[in-house]
Amino acid sequence: MFRKLGLSTLSRRWFLGAAASVAGATAVSGLSTRVMAAGKVIKIGFLAPLTGPVSAWGKPGLDGCEIWADWINAAGGIKLADGNYMVEFVAYDNEYDPAKARTGATKLIREEGVSFVMMLGGDTWPGAQPVADKTGMLFSTLLPSDLAPDTTTLIAPTEVHPIYNVTGVEWLAENKPDLKTAVMCAQDDALGLPSVATYLAAFEAEGIEMLAEPLLFDPATTDFAPVVTKLLAKSPQIFCLDTCYSDYVHPICEQLFQQGYKGQIISCTADFYDQMIEKTSVEFMEGFIFQFPDFDDPALNADFINFKDPNKFYEEYNKRHPGEWGAVSWEYASIMDLWKAAAEKAGSAEPADVLAAMKEGGKGQHAFGTADWWGKDLFGIDNALVGDWPVVVIEGGKARIKGFKSIPEWYAKHGDLLKKHMAAYGQMWDQRT
Amino acid sequence: MVELLAQTGLNAIYAASYMSLVAVGLVLIFGVMGVINFAHGELYMLGAYAVVGLYADFQMPFIFAIAVGLVFVGVVGLGMERALFRPLRDNPLGGLVASIGFLMVLQALAVMGFGVRMEHVPPVTQEVIVFSEKVRLAVPRLFVIIAAVVLLTALWVFLKKTRFGWALRASAQDPEAAALQGISINQTSRIAMFIGAGLAGIAGALTAPLVSVNPYMGHSVIITAFIVIIVGGIGSLEGAVIAAVAYAFIHTIVTTFWDGVIANIVGLSLMLAVLIVKPTGLFGTADRA
Amino acid sequence: MLHILGWPALAAAMIALPHGLSFSQQEILVFLTINVLLVTSYRLLTLTGEWSLGHVVMMGVGAYASALYTKELGIFVPLSMLLGAVTAALIALILSFPLLRMKGFYFLIGSFAAGEIIRLLWKRFRNPFGGPKGIKKIDPMPDFDAGFYSFDFFEPVSYYYFALVVVGVSLWIMWRIERSPVGLTFHAVHWQDKLAEAAGVNVRAYRTRAFVIASGFAGLSGTLLAHYIGTINPNSFDVEMMVFVLTWAIVGGTATFYGPIIGCIVLTILNEIVLREMGFEQMRPLIYGLLLICSVLFLPKGLESVVQGLLARRKDSPASGEEKA
């Protein structure tokens, strides 16, 4: 009696369109006309946590995007085949909840008529995915671990978490070859686990020995003394902070300092490292390796960098939002650079056209240089833009880019190790429940 | 191994200190006023932000900042008593909902005033007492331990030796009889609320340089506080302190030798076991259910 | 007269409702329907005078159970929903042994502890619960064509109708339970438990019954959620959600059957639509908190008392008109 109708995508969309027209005809706000009207404005959806504990990965990105929009609009907007369009960002706070992400995606796409939706990803992507599939809308995420063979309209074009972490370890081994033992801790959540596997693979590739299993702590932890005590008991030479949020990085480093650690520290992020230095000391933080540069770094003015005016951007951001610069502040704006270039190349803002233009030739203009559309092995689909990534080291109290390392080259040498560790932690795309 | 245990012990004593301050505050409020203050974690958060504002932003001396923190949060507690709990005295569920509403208000105010990112509090001092290579106690942590001991002793003296303290204990045991004796419920409520809130506030103020200060930091504190007061016994202040110490030790040891999530499960199971076997808690006397 | 017209009119209004709403409002409508079931099942529990803080976790038990039954055992979705609800009821039965030895405040905290332990188990064990990331790609309801209407269960409108039917039937069942001798005994257990005991009523058994039935319906609402969004994780069922349910019940009032439903509808519309439209992102929790405080201070009998007041006045006016005449 119950039969799953094998409706093709085409007739599903037709039905959607028909339903939308009917609803539009009877609804108060005339929705269907807004979806079809182009007007002189292009709307970009920003679907991320803007309130709540995870908002640090969303709100600063929106702030960065506002700066980007101001600059682009001042320069005449986006130039498509049928004229210039101003850019407007429409934000929806999904509170890092998949149900609200779904509602938000529906609102942004079917009511606001956005051409592109940027998300943080993680827990919220599976909630929005059905809407993405049904509407064919182009989405971006900061977490490549959201990618899977069936996420054809999802791209991860900036943040290459967690695989960029291998660059830090590679640089470490090259420059400090006498450091041979390590320990690691991470928060037990969607962001912590994939990068644990990555760091393990990276350490193994360099012959660095893990003195203990990675210690996964509860994200609600505030007192890190027991965690640090446990790991320091092994007297490691390297202490790896995995992808801890700044709320964890700071107290953990403080504990390391107080408990007398004098070895190497490596981490994915070090937001507000100036505060960390204040809590510990310049000497303690000397040589701290992480992955996110300050955008006033002169190394970012090199030719191969594809971010527009990074120094000015940093300055403007700090002017508008003093003291708030963090890893996420520039990433969404960088995605917008990529989107704009592809839209202008295609001459249209239609998701399918933009995606095709972006992926043409298999290479793309990533913020840190020309990069490959990559990922089939790890994610099941080549929708991550992966190329070089900077290695940043704190020297004399300031973060400096020490070099750019190539992720695809590392993968060509050690890809199997990475796959082995990812599988062990259940992080391969075909293992995800 | 000995060093690991010693350091773990130091970690546990620190945890026990701030937990007992928070838990005793909560017990005092529940014992005297019969209301569950869900916003207690946010009072702790307010104390931490007081230090952020005064000490970190305005560079006032740390001692001054924590003293102000204690008084400020105590006054907020007074406000809660007058505006929320007193009108809802006959409606304990209403009081609970009101405290939930107030918790949301406090969090939103913290976000609007300071932003969602964690706040930075420069260290008060970077001195560390070194017992041995791997066994160290940072002096700011020592402050928390000393403060807990001093404040709790002062509270004990207050409760046992002063008239107000006697009135508080009488109200906690039997409010009607206390009223008949001429003890003003309003006054004892005010005192209990001021002290209870103030204790939470100063715990927050003292730990502000040591933890990540953000608007949502009260959440985990309140859950632990509930576990502690259940295990210790609802009406019992001594029980709260002993339970806080026991819980801190168990949690720290389990975290160090296994992991944090298992430690949480152990803590909750302990609470559940106490509730099943001896619902009034290990030291509870008055049944305030 | 009113009764004969009232119900069909209500039904017609409920069927027509989604077509007057925007797409995102339709989505919210689906969640609202599911939450109505959740809060009404909570009320059933409070009939015996017990307030639990683990109710939302029971919803989660149903959600996880149904998700796992479809994913691991390949059970047909509507059937797995029923099994999910039954699983929640069974877990509640098991929990009732330790929990229902407590009363009042202790039961409140004990239920909270039990709920948190279950949630921590979901978080800790990636196999089979998916750990902190939870379970993704949960099978949706299979689409079917009923001739006059094609049910595509991705669409909020279709799922709304489906949920409406499930919730409607569940509410009717709970209403009947409350009106039945069992329900009356729940009231007795609440207000006069010593008397009831003296009359030979097994108070404990009745409290267990209420707890199990309420948890079963909570589990059912969880299965509805799981198969709509397609993903669940431990944070969907945490204390924050429980606090929302608690406030819906208290602000709406639990003296009547419809009280919590009013509370749920009013507060959800307020939080999701009104406050979002006004654009006060950061201020939303602030305004919501203030509204909670005000409603508890100034409307202690809940929003239902407003409704009751209106109904009473309507009843009075023809009579007073006659008197004057």
Side-chain angles (χ1 to χ4, degrees):
Chain A
M1 194 164 93
F2 296 89
R3 208 168 26 99
K4 189 177 172 80
L5 285 180
L7 286 175
S8 71
T9 330
L10 195 58
S11 55
R12 253 198 190 134
R13 281 216 200 143
W14 177 87
F15 178 73
L16 256 184
S21 320
V22 168
T26 54
V28 181
S29 42
L31 307 156
S32 45
T33 46
R34 259 160 92 183
V35 174
M36 321 251 205
K40 278 276 152 190
V41 176
I42 288 197
K43 294 193 192 177
I44 308 286
F46 193 91
L47 181 61
L50 300 175
T51 57
V54 196
S55 52
W57 301 83
K59 178 84 175 45
L62 183 60
D63 295 338
C65 284
E66 301 287 354
I67 299 178
W68 186 90
D70 288 346
W71 285 3
I72 293 297
N73 289 339
I78 301 187
K79 300 164 185 31
L80 298 182
D82 55 342
N84 287 3
Y85 288 81
M86 296 292 123
V87 174
E88 187 191 311
F89 285 98
V90 184
Y92 191 94
D93 179 9
N94 67 27
E95 298 177 30
Y96 204 59
D97 175 25
K100 303 207 173 155
R102 185 197 165 109
T103 307
T106 301
K107 184 163 213 293
L108 290 172
I109 299 174
R110 297 167 93 181
E111 288 173 37
E112 296 285 345
V114 300
S115 306
F116 175 44
V117 178
M118 292 196 284
M119 286 188 75
L120 165 63
D123 286 353
T124 48
W125 165 248
Q129 184 174 359
V131 182
D133 290 344
K134 288 275 177 155
T135 57
M137 174 57 65
L138 184 62
F139 272 72
S140 76
T141 172
L142 289 193
L143 303 175
S145 39
D146 289 337
L147 296 172
D150 61 349
T151 62
T152 47
T153 58
L154 179 68
I155 53 173
T158 318
E159 171 98 16
V160 198
H161 182 279
I163 34 186
Y164 51 28
N165 289 324
V166 305
T167 59
V169 178
E170 201 179 10
W171 187 91
L172 168 65
E174 262 171 37
N175 289 276
K176 306 192 186 187
D178 40 305
L179 298 177
K180 283 285 167 209
T181 60
V183 293
M184 172 160 43
C185 67
Q187 77 272 3
D188 192 0
D189 74 356
L191 287 164
L193 293 176
S195 75
V196 163
T198 309
Y199 271 112
L200 285 178
F203 284 131
E204 192 177 325
E206 306 295 342
I208 295 173
E209 184 199 344
M210 295 301 298
L211 294 174
E213 285 286 303
L215 180 56
L216 299 171
F217 57 82
D218 183 5
T221 309
T222 47
D223 182 8
F224 286 94
V227 166
V228 170
T229 302
K230 180 175 181 161
L231 289 175
L232 285 186
K234 311 270 181 182
S235 305
Q237 292 171 318
I238 304 170
F239 195 102
C240 174
L241 284 151
D242 191 66
T243 311
C244 285
Y245 311 149
S246 56
D247 303 38
Y248 309 136
V249 171
H250 285 230
I252 293 177
C253 284
E254 213 184 340
Q255 276 308 303
L256 284 170
F257 176 71
Q258 286 178 357
Q259 294 193 26
Y261 182 65
K262 297 208 174 8
Q264 172 71 49
I265 307 179
I266 181 171
S267 165
C268 176
T269 61
D271 286 357
F272 311 130
Y273 63 83
D274 51 336
Q275 295 172 4
M276 278 160 72
I277 292 177
E278 234 192 295
K279 280 197 193 272
T280 56
S281 73
V282 173
E283 297 79 33
F284 177 77
M285 291 292 288
E286 187 76 14
F288 188 109
I289 300 174
F290 65 113
Q291 313 282 166
F292 281 88
D294 287 339
F295 264 43
D296 60 347
D297 199 311
L300 288 176
N301 292 324
D303 285 334
F304 60 85
I305 298 290
N306 290 314
F307 194 92
K308 245 168 131 310
D309 272 326
N311 300 155
K312 250 181 71 189
F313 184 83
Y314 184 75
E315 208 188 297
E316 179 67 23
Y317 190 97
N318 281 318
K319 201 160 62 153
R320 297 194 193 189
H321 310 280
E324 303 245 330
W325 177 270
V328 151
S329 305
W330 58 270
E331 289 184 318
Y332 293 93
S334 164
I335 298 177
M336 283 314 301
D337 275 343
L338 197 69
W339 185 89
K340 171 169 174 290
E344 288 182 339
K345 184 159 130 196
S348 119
E350 282 304 303
D353 299 336
V354 173
L355 183 59
M358 262 193 213
K359 297 186 77 180
E360 209 182 304
K363 289 203 179 285
Q365 299 307 313
H366 185 273
F368 295 125
T370 311
D372 302 326
W373 282 106
W374 191 87
K376 220 190 189 81
D377 258 4
L378 281 183
F379 314 121
I381 187 173
D382 286 332
N383 275 14
L385 193 55
V386 178
D388 289 352
W389 196 274
V391 177
V392 182
V393 179
I394 298 181
E395 288 181 343
K398 179 86 179 120
R400 304 224 170 280
I401 295 178
K402 298 304 280 182
F404 289 86
K405 293 240 157 260
S406 164
I407 301 173
E409 274 173 33
W410 185 95
Y411 192 80
K413 282 187 278 182
H414 307 291
D416 289 332
L417 273 181
L418 183 55
K419 281 196 277 196
K420 176 183 95 176
H421 283 280
M422 292 280 243
Y425 273 86
Q427 297 300 313
M428 288 297 288
W429 62 266
D430 50 358
Q431 286 173 311
R432 287 184 235 142
T433 34
Chain B
M1 188 56 172
V2 173
E3 286 196 314
L4 181 60
L5 284 175
Q7 181 68 60
T8 305
L10 287 175
N11 295 341
I13 296 177
Y14 161 76
S17 305
Y18 77 82
M19 256 346 291
S20 44
L21 285 173
V22 173
V24 164
L26 194 57
V27 166
L28 202 56
I29 296 174
F30 184 75
V32 172
M33 299 167 61
V35 72
I36 304 172
N37 180 17
F38 255 88
H40 206 67
E42 274 57 43
L43 294 175
Y44 167 86
M45 181 262 286
L46 268 190
Y49 271 97
V51 162
V52 168
L54 293 173
Y55 173 66
D57 291 346
F58 286 115
Q59 322 277 327
M60 309 221 157
F62 187 63
I63 282 277
F64 178 72
I66 57 177
V68 170
L70 184 148
V71 172
F72 169 63
V73 179
V75 168
V76 170
L78 283 179
M80 283 176 76
E81 191 275 326
R82 184 67 193 83
L84 302 178
F85 296 137
R86 194 183 301 180
L88 294 169
R89 198 171 280 155
D90 301 318
N91 184 1
L93 274 174
L96 195 144
V97 170
S99 70
I100 291 174
F102 194 64
L103 148 210
M104 298 178 82
V105 166
L106 285 179
Q107 277 182 359
L109 286 175
V111 168
M112 295 197 302
F114 291 89
V116 295
R117 301 215 67 150
M118 53 169 274
E119 287 300 321
H120 166 61
V121 179
V124 180
T125 156
Q126 296 200 320
E127 303 268 318
V128 176
I129 304 178
V130 181
F131 294 102
S132 85
E133 164 79 36
K134 290 256 177 76
V135 182
R136 296 156 174 253
L137 181 63
V139 169
R141 292 183 149 229
L142 183 63
F143 285 165
V144 175
I145 300 173
I146 294 176
V149 169
V150 166
L151 286 170
L152 292 175
T153 311
L155 182 65
W156 183 83
V157 167
F158 173 76
L159 288 176
K160 290 267 196 292
K161 311 274 185 195
T162 69
R163 212 176 47 104
F164 289 126
W166 169 80
L168 272 180
R169 285 188 293 133
S171 299
Q173 275 212 317
D174 191 340
E176 279 172 10
L180 285 175
Q181 294 262 8
I183 296 175
S184 152
I185 295 190
N186 283 350
Q187 192 176 51
T188 50
S189 298
R190 278 204 293 268
I191 297 177
M193 204 61 214
F194 181 83
I195 298 179
L199 286 175
I202 199 169
L206 284 166
T207 58
L210 299 165
V211 300
S212 79
V213 177
N214 64 73
Y216 310 101
M217 63 192 292
H219 181 78
S220 56
V221 168
I222 189 114
I223 294 184
T224 312
F226 273 126
I227 296 179
V228 165
I229 68 176
I230 291 289
V231 169
I234 304 291
S236 163
L237 295 165
E238 300 88 355
V241 174
I242 296 175
V245 172
Y247 178 83
F249 269 85
I250 295 176
H251 196 272
T252 308
I253 291 175
V254 175
T255 305
T256 313
F257 289 98
W258 287 277
D259 69 56
V261 178
I262 299 219
N264 285 343
I265 297 180
V266 166
L268 284 167
S269 309
L270 183 66
M271 174 163 96
L272 206 51
V274 167
L275 278 172
I276 296 170
V277 170
K278 190 172 189 289
T280 48
L282 295 174
F283 298 93
T285 44
D287 187 340
R288 256 269 179 172
Chain C
M1 183 64 171
L2 204 62
H3 270 232
I4 300 175
L5 284 181
W7 290 115
L10 183 65
M14 307 245 65
I15 293 178
L17 181 60
H19 297 293
L21 299 175
S22 73
F23 289 114
S24 63
Q25 287 169 344
Q26 289 169 359
E27 302 268 355
I28 296 175
L29 187 61
V30 173
F31 297 124
L32 189 58
T33 312
I34 295 175
N35 286 334
V36 163
L37 177 57
L38 180 64
V39 80
T40 311
S41 69
Y42 192 61
R43 177 170 179 274
L44 189 69
L45 181 59
T46 65
L47 281 184
T48 56
E50 296 309 330
W51 290 77
S52 148
L53 282 183
H55 200 67
V56 158
V57 175
M58 289 294 128
M59 180 193 196
V61 171
Y64 268 91
S66 183
L68 289 172
Y69 292 150
T70 46
K71 284 193 90 117
E72 303 291 327
L73 302 176
I75 296 182
F76 183 54
V77 173
L79 180 60
S80 76
M81 286 192 182
L82 280 173
L83 288 178
V86 168
T87 310
L90 282 174
I91 299 281
L93 184 60
I94 297 174
L95 286 176
S96 73
F97 287 106
L99 288 180
L100 289 179
R101 297 178 63 185
M102 316 169 205
K103 285 187 67 177
F105 171 70
Y106 300 104
F107 177 72
L108 190 77
I109 298 289
S111 59
F112 169 73
E116 279 301 292
I117 292 178
I118 294 179
R119 263 188 1 104
L120 284 174
L121 290 173
W122 292 334
K123 264 201 223 179
R124 187 72 181 54
F125 293 103
R126 235 169 296 144
N127 202 0
F129 299 120
K133 272 176 115 156
I135 303 183
K136 292 188 268 209
K137 295 205 177 310
I138 302 175
D139 303 19
M141 272 286 288
D143 303 333
F144 75 97
D145 194 342
F148 59 88
Y149 191 86
S150 179
F151 283 96
D152 173 356
F153 284 114
F154 163 75
E155 287 299 317
V157 182
S158 295
Y159 206 85
Y160 164 69
Y161 290 144
F162 170 64
L164 198 60
V165 168
V166 172
V167 170
V169 169
S170 307
L171 288 182
W172 183 80
I173 295 177
M174 285 193 272
W175 169 254
R176 294 304 311 243
I177 291 178
E178 195 182 333
R179 298 271 126 179
S180 75
V182 174
L184 292 174
T185 319
F186 288 158
H187 279 283
V189 162
H190 181 189
W191 296 110
Q192 299 278 32
D193 58 342
K194 297 277 187 284
L195 190 58
E197 249 177 346
V201 169
N202 183 346
V203 167
R204 174 78 182 268
Y206 275 89
R207 290 174 64 204
T208 307
R209 213 167 287 187
F211 186 53
V212 167
I213 297 175
S215 301
F217 281 112
L220 187 62
S221 71
T223 66
L224 285 173
L225 190 73
H227 292 284
Y228 183 56
I229 320 182
T231 171
I232 48 175
N233 63 60
N235 293 332
S236 315
F237 308 109
D238 68 358
V239 143
E240 277 190 50
M241 185 64 191
M242 185 67 234
V243 160
F244 274 105
V245 174
L246 198 65
T247 50
W248 296 332
I250 294 180
V251 168
T254 52
T256 62
F257 188 78
Y258 55 79
I261 299 179
I262 298 180
C264 175
I265 294 178
V266 169
L267 289 178
T268 301
I269 294 181
L270 195 69
N271 197 26
E272 292 300 328
I273 301 184
V274 173
L275 291 180
R276 273 188 197 266
E277 284 303 315
M278 286 159 71
F280 296 145
E281 266 332 313
Q282 297 298 346
M283 291 201 31
R284 266 198 306 132
L286 180 74
I287 298 180
Y288 194 82
L290 285 173
L291 280 166
L292 280 185
I293 294 176
C294 290
S295 85
V296 141
L297 280 176
F298 302 120
L299 260 185
K301 295 240 187 336
L303 290 172
E304 63 187 359
S305 62
V306 174
V307 175
Q308 283 173 320
L310 288 172
L311 288 175
R313 249 184 281 151
R314 274 193 64 228
K315 258 194 233 147
D316 284 341
S317 44
S320 51
E322 272 173 21
E323 271 173 45
K324 283 194 187 141

